[in-house]
Amino acid sequence: MSYRQIDTPALLIDNKILNRNIDAMQQYADEHKVDLRPHTKTHKMAELAIKQKKAGASGITVAKTGEAEVMAEAGIDDIFIANQVIGRAKVERIRKLSESINVSFGVDSIYSVKEIDEVFEGADKKAEVLIEIEVGEKRSGIIEEDDFIELLDAVKDSMNVRFKGVFSHDGHTYKAASVDELKALYDESSTRTLHFADIARNHGMACEVVSIGSTPPFVLGFELPEGITEIRPGTYILMDGSQANVIGTNDTCAATVLTTVISKPTSERVITDVGAKGLTQQHRKVGLTATAGLGKIAGFDDVHIDGMFDEHAIINNQQFSDQVEIGDKVEVIMNHICPVSNLYDKAYLVENKEVLEEIEVAARGKLQ
């Protein structure tokens, strides 16, 4: 059927753009001779993760244990949880996963190492951990070198935990005001990650993996410094309005939300049937990724959602209003794809205005 027959709101994925994005990032990784371990929190779809693996990805990244379980059930056997996993119940689930797949996860505290060591007592193989390095995002991760060495010693002294390497996330690059500033932040982040890898090596604990991640530096084609072994971009596969602003085009945006015009109460106000429950109210305020409004209307110049209620999008644009009628369907390029994927049970894969298949958002709601 034509995708215009789909009931709305609905999450759409353009098949041609999707495949082009997958191939482009894999080519980038291959050219730089590093592993690509895409972050699947962007789409939460096992079918898309399998596509990424078939294209050459070494494994996948997830954010939560529940996501790892869904992806493992789908047959993906090499998974990194790029997050601190705190709580015996979650660590016990990882131990169970480790019986059938290769799974590793993040730590940044001695508390975590001790808990993991206890839970993995008697397991057939050790828990594999990477230490997160804070590189400027002001989120989780090790900051001080002394704390890093103490954490290395805690892992070394444990009986059931194996040190696999270090990882970082340079999410603060999203706030860069220019490509030059983004490049400087990326270089600083990469250098800091490699510095901690050197500390570990000099401490007798070589890093099998030195992993960095975020989409902007890679879609901009920045060089990778020697010593990086793995990259973990996520958004690149579907892209979104904020990331598209970095490269100055919406041509790589594979995902949109289809929505129906349901009301035109004034000559310029247009209301559609998707609100915060289908798009979120996220937007970026500064830097290259800054967005105007709460979503772009695809195919219309400078038309965006001005306001939002739970189930209503508000567009105030006279020219747009003159071009659409009640019952028409339009597509929204969301500001941030990752939380939007988590709002839908399924996505429609489309090509040449026809629906190819429905894809289950299998990891939707897997927050634990």
Side-chain angles (χ1 to χ4, degrees):
M1 68 175 177
S2 166
Y3 78 99
R4 293 283 176 181
Q5 296 175 269
I6 298 170
D7 200 9
T8 60
L11 179 62
L12 307 183
I13 299 174
D14 185 291
N15 188 51
K16 289 182 178 178
I17 299 175
L18 170 77
N19 290 328
R20 191 166 68 230
N21 290 349
I22 290 173
D23 291 343
M25 189 60 72
Q26 189 61 57
Q27 182 178 349
Y28 173 89
D30 292 345
E31 288 175 352
H32 288 84
K33 296 179 172 58
V34 297
D35 290 333
L36 172 61
R37 185 180 290 276
H39 206 316
T40 61
K41 74 178 178 68
T42 292
H43 52 75
K44 286 180 167 275
M45 302 175 209
E47 188 167 330
L48 297 194
I50 290 169
K51 280 180 176 286
Q52 291 171 304
K53 278 277 288 176
K54 287 182 177 179
S58 62
I60 64 166
T61 304
V62 299
K64 295 296 180 73
T65 306
E67 292 175 344
E69 290 167 336
V70 168
M71 297 301 175
E73 180 68 23
I76 296 175
D77 61 3
D78 195 324
I79 301 175
F80 170 51
I81 305 171
N83 208 342
Q84 287 68 40
V85 180
I86 301 295
R88 291 186 64 92
K90 290 185 178 69
V91 181
E92 286 169 357
R93 288 159 61 195
I94 293 176
R95 173 175 169 166
K96 179 66 175 177
L97 277 173
S98 72
E99 295 173 2
S100 57
I101 69 167
N102 294 321
V103 59
S104 55
F105 53 108
V107 298
D108 71 354
S109 68
I110 293 174
Y111 175 98
S112 181
V113 172
K114 289 182 177 179
E115 184 172 65
I116 296 164
D117 195 34
E118 292 175 1
V119 171
F120 270 75
E121 180 65 34
D124 291 337
K125 58 183 179 181
K126 293 184 177 184
E128 297 200 332
V129 302
L130 283 79
I131 296 177
E132 182 176 14
I133 309 303
E134 209 286 320
V135 292
E137 190 176 28
K138 296 184 179 179
R139 201 169 66 178
S140 53
I142 288 289
I143 298 172
E144 302 297 335
E145 293 181 11
D146 288 346
D147 292 336
F148 182 62
I149 291 172
E150 287 183 9
L151 187 52
L152 287 172
D153 287 338
V155 174
K156 185 186 296 184
D157 293 341
S158 69
M159 297 296 294
N160 305 301
V161 184
R162 174 179 174 264
F163 174 70
K164 191 173 182 180
V166 296
F167 76 104
S168 64
H169 180 248
D170 55 336
H172 58 304
T173 59
Y174 300 165
K175 297 180 180 180
S178 66
V179 172
D180 287 344
E181 183 183 350
L182 196 155
K183 177 67 162 56
L185 292 172
Y186 162 74
D187 287 342
E188 290 172 4
S189 299
S190 301
T191 298
R192 178 171 167 80
T193 306
L194 287 165
H195 173 63
F196 276 85
D198 286 339
I199 292 174
R201 190 174 300 110
N202 293 334
H203 202 62
M205 299 175 71
C207 292
E208 175 186 330
V209 176
V210 181
S211 179
I212 62 174
S214 86
T215 288
F218 309 136
V219 295
L220 288 169
F222 293 166
E223 289 299 312
L224 283 169
E226 185 176 355
I228 300 298
T229 69
E230 177 182 277
I231 58 174
R232 305 185 326 278
T235 307
Y236 79 92
I237 184 174
L238 298 179
M239 292 293 279
D240 55 30
S242 63
Q243 299 283 5
N245 288 343
V246 175
I247 57 177
T249 178
N250 296 326
D251 291 347
T252 60
C253 291
T256 57
V257 168
L258 188 67
T259 181
T260 301
V261 176
I262 60 172
S263 178
K264 294 177 63 177
T266 73
S267 62
E268 70 167 20
R269 187 190 310 158
V270 177
I271 312 298
T272 82
D273 68 350
V274 65
K277 292 180 181 178
L279 280 173
T280 81
Q281 296 195 57
Q282 286 202 356
H283 63 104
R284 300 194 191 276
K285 299 179 181 179
V286 298
L288 289 170
T289 60
T291 54
L294 298 172
K296 304 176 184 178
I297 308 303
F300 295 87
D301 293 334
D302 301 321
V303 179
H304 56 263
I305 296 172
D306 295 289
M308 204 179 287
F309 293 85
D310 285 352
E311 308 291 356
H312 299 76
I314 315 298
I315 303 162
N316 296 306
N317 187 293
Q318 182 72 61
Q319 187 176 7
F320 175 70
S321 180
D322 291 342
Q323 295 179 71
V324 298
E325 301 295 339
I326 293 175
D328 287 352
K329 294 178 180 179
V330 296
E331 294 174 53
V332 180
I333 299 173
M334 65 290 296
N335 287 341
H336 187 189
I337 179 59
C338 301
V340 172
S341 294
N342 193 54
L343 298 175
Y344 292 85
D345 292 320
K346 62 185 176 182
Y348 294 87
L349 189 67
V350 300
E351 185 173 319
N352 298 326
K353 300 183 179 181
E354 294 292 322
V355 176
L356 300 180
E357 63 176 300
E358 296 179 12
I359 302 175
E360 181 188 7
V361 186
R364 181 189 181 190
K366 300 300 182 182
L367 305 181
Q368 295 179 335

